[in-house]
Amino acid sequence: MITDFSQRLIVQEVSPRDGLQIEPTWVETQDKIALIDQLSLAGFSRIEAGSFVSPNAVPALRDGEQVFKGILRRPGVTYVALIPNLKGAQRALAAGADELNLVMSASQTHNLANMRMNCEASLAAFAETVAFASGSGTGLNGSIATAFGCPFEGRTDEDRVLRIVDAYQELGIRGITLADTTGMANPRQVDGLVRRVLQRVPAADLTLHFHNTRGLGLCNVLAAYEAGARRFDAALGGLGGCPFAPGASGNICTEDLVNLCDEVGIATGIDLPLLLKLSRGLPALLGHDIPGQLAKAGRNCDLHPVPS
Ligand code: COA
Ligand code: ZN
């Protein structure tokens, strides 16, 4: 196991936000809180606990205030809230979010579908949001959705992504997330973009957000890690998806990612047996099977009895 801290892979758990936002069945507020409280015990330093978006756009997360106020705040865990605009920032700060995750797509078409505004309007809203949040002590992260490909426009131009990184930094947004919203990235593309972004953003401030829509999620993680990225979003059970992107499906699965890291000797600090227990409880909570594979297969060390 690699103990050098600079080699550690940071997992940000996003199932309470990306995972639940697309679920068709209402998850009770108390169940959301219980899930986050359990995740807080699993060793994550960062959990995206919800979003403060229009309740008409994402009804599944309309109880963000009650969720943020109801969770037990474990010291050392940063509880992040996704927001699209100033109103979202006001709600998130009032609810006690530690960090705001501002989201805009690299693709104009996807931004119009998801945020109902063009990228220029999103950036103007972010300027207001940064001004509002400055001095509050709240962290700021800027996500670039469809950073690798868009379901409407196809492959995303790298230079456009870099210009958005620059625009975020000029606004004073420190953290940057490159999001592969509909799983269109490939490992070579990831390697190229991550290396270029790391010339602008320190590894400690860069997050990669992959979806496993085309089965390349963990390949892309390894490519990004080899290129120097250290922080990754993942969702318990492989839940997740953008409700405004046709064909969107789950995030990379947290327990599958942690298993990969354990097997190849990259430290994460995450309690894999606890994750498996939580993941195996998801079908009962959500009423359907989950895409993650480790919860079904077990770890390599979970051996079977020898046939008699
Ligand atoms: N939280 C709660 N309500 C909000 C809100 C927020 N952050 N932002 C806007 N609203 C409300 C407005 O107050 C208004 O309410 P009213 O009809 O009662 O007056 C209504 O939503 C429409 O406001 P408007 O500014 O016209 O927004 P819109 O309809 O053009 O939608 C967004 C723009 C950004 C609010 C909406 O598209 C959105 O929330 N998108 C997020 C989608 C998402 O979460 N995707 C997945 C994660 S990437
Ligand atoms: Zn996502």
Side-chain angles (χ1 to χ4, degrees):
M1 183 66 67
I2 300 165
T3 48
D4 176 358
F5 194 77
S6 68
Q7 302 304 309
R8 198 178 174 100
L9 187 147
I10 309 291
V11 187
Q12 171 167 246
E13 174 59 35
V14 299
S15 60
R17 195 280 298 173
D18 207 327
L20 297 186
Q21 72 183 7
I22 200 171
E23 286 298 324
T25 307
W26 171 249
V27 176
E28 295 295 339
T29 306
Q30 283 312 317
D31 292 330
K32 289 175 179 139
I33 292 170
L35 175 64
I36 297 166
D37 285 349
Q38 286 293 310
L39 290 167
S40 292
L41 300 176
F44 296 106
S45 52
R46 306 173 54 81
I47 298 176
E48 195 164 71
S51 67
F52 293 90
V53 303
S54 160
N56 299 327
V58 183
L61 298 184
R62 63 179 182 267
D63 54 352
E65 277 85 356
Q66 294 101 295
V67 170
F68 268 82
K69 289 187 174 154
I71 55 177
L72 289 169
R73 311 293 288 254
R74 191 171 169 88
V77 183
T78 299
Y79 295 92
V80 180
L82 180 142
I83 59 142
N85 56 13
L86 179 61
K87 182 162 186 178
Q90 290 165 336
R91 292 177 58 206
L93 257 64
D98 299 318
E99 186 172 307
L100 304 178
N101 182 17
L102 292 66
V103 182
M104 180 186 96
S105 304
S107 146
Q108 286 281 13
T109 318
H110 184 256
N111 209 55
L112 278 170
N114 193 31
M115 298 298 176
R116 298 166 59 91
M117 56 186 135
N118 62 27
C119 295
E120 291 70 24
S122 275
L123 285 174
F126 293 172
E128 287 181 321
T129 301
V130 173
F132 167 74
S134 71
S136 66
T138 311
L140 293 173
N141 187 83
S143 281
I144 306 175
T146 65
F148 297 90
C150 163
F152 309 110
E153 295 185 8
R155 188 170 170 130
T156 302
D157 174 36
E158 265 188 18
D159 290 325
R160 178 167 173 81
V161 176
L162 293 169
R163 285 197 295 278
I164 298 171
V165 171
D166 292 343
Y168 281 178
Q169 291 188 321
E170 279 160 28
L171 285 171
I173 299 169
R174 182 166 167 185
I176 301 286
T177 296
L178 303 175
D180 185 23
T181 309
T182 55
M184 293 172 71
N186 69 69
R188 293 220 167 120
Q189 184 188 15
V190 168
D191 177 82
L193 184 59
V194 167
R195 286 182 196 278
R196 290 184 74 188
V197 172
L198 283 174
Q199 291 170 1
R200 292 162 152 81
V201 181
D205 295 331
L206 177 65
T207 304
L208 274 293
H209 177 107
F210 293 120
H211 282 257
N212 199 35
T213 316
R214 292 175 176 80
L216 294 182
L218 294 186
C219 303
N220 290 330
V221 170
L222 275 185
Y225 183 86
E226 295 296 330
R230 290 292 178 267
R231 206 201 263 181
F232 294 87
D233 286 350
L236 188 73
L239 302 178
C242 174
F244 303 97
S249 67
N251 288 85
I252 56 166
C253 169
T254 310
E255 59 273 22
D256 292 5
L257 171 63
V258 173
N259 177 65
L260 164 68
C261 292
D262 285 359
E263 289 298 321
V264 300
I266 299 172
T268 62
I270 310 290
D271 179 346
L272 188 53
L274 175 55
L275 282 191
L276 284 171
K277 179 171 163 264
L278 296 178
S279 179
R280 288 171 179 150
L282 288 174
L285 179 69
L286 304 173
H288 61 77
D289 192 14
I290 52 164
Q293 291 176 275
L294 195 76
K296 292 164 194 143
R299 298 167 302 166
N300 289 0
C301 59
D302 297 331
L303 300 179
H304 298 266
V306 178
S308 53

